Amino acid sequence: MFDENYKFVIVDIGSYGKEGDSSIFLKSLIGQQILNGSFRFPEESLLPGSNIYVPHVIVEDGTFGLHPNIMNPYSRKSSMRDASKKIFNYRLSRARHVTENAFGLLS
């Protein structure tokens, strides 16, 4: 996992590249801890310029299950009928690009 500045904050290495992301996540110690609630996320933080507290989350592409600390996009069908869901999916996709960029910088 890494933050908005492309800084890796935790890594779990040890799976084969041809496995799918969701199966690797489910087998990993980090994934198991997140799903069973024992992973120690930082405390909720205020959104800048607001009085709204939000949890720290993992941003993903919809292959993982629902969880309070995992952000999934809305389904394509659902987002086509609701402009706010379409905007959410777009912004979530932009956030996921941070992940792709971090690995690009690493390589």
Side-chain angles (χ1 to χ4, degrees):
M1 286 185 247
F2 27 88
D3 64 15
E4 70 280 1
N5 296 311
Y6 306 109
K7 178 183 171 191
F8 285 83
V9 293
I10 187 167
V11 296
D12 188 340
I13 301 168
S15 197
Y16 297 102
K18 62 183 172 183
E19 287 186 74
D21 292 344
S22 60
S23 64
I24 292 171
F25 178 75
L26 292 172
K27 288 187 339 185
S28 72
L29 179 60
I30 294 170
Q32 292 171 13
Q33 289 177 342
I34 289 169
L35 295 176
N36 72 24
S38 64
F39 187 81
R40 293 177 40 199
F41 281 96
E43 294 293 318
E44 291 184 344
S45 301
L46 276 173
L47 283 176
S50 77
N51 60 353
I52 300 170
Y53 281 90
V54 294
H56 290 265
V57 297
I58 294 172
V59 178
E60 63 95 19
D61 63 2
T63 58
F64 303 168
L66 291 175
H67 188 273
N69 293 103
I70 299 175
M71 280 228 159
N72 297 324
Y74 287 102
S75 71
R76 182 173 178 87
K77 184 178 180 181
S78 174
S79 66
M80 296 304 269
R81 294 185 301 232
D82 185 334
S84 63
K85 290 179 180 179
K86 188 173 185 174
I87 292 168
F88 173 85
N89 281 357
Y90 171 75
R91 291 181 178 162
L92 188 67
S93 175
R94 296 273 315 256
R96 285 183 34 239
H97 286 147
V98 174
T99 302
E100 295 167 15
N101 292 341
F103 280 107
L105 290 170
L106 179 64
S107 64

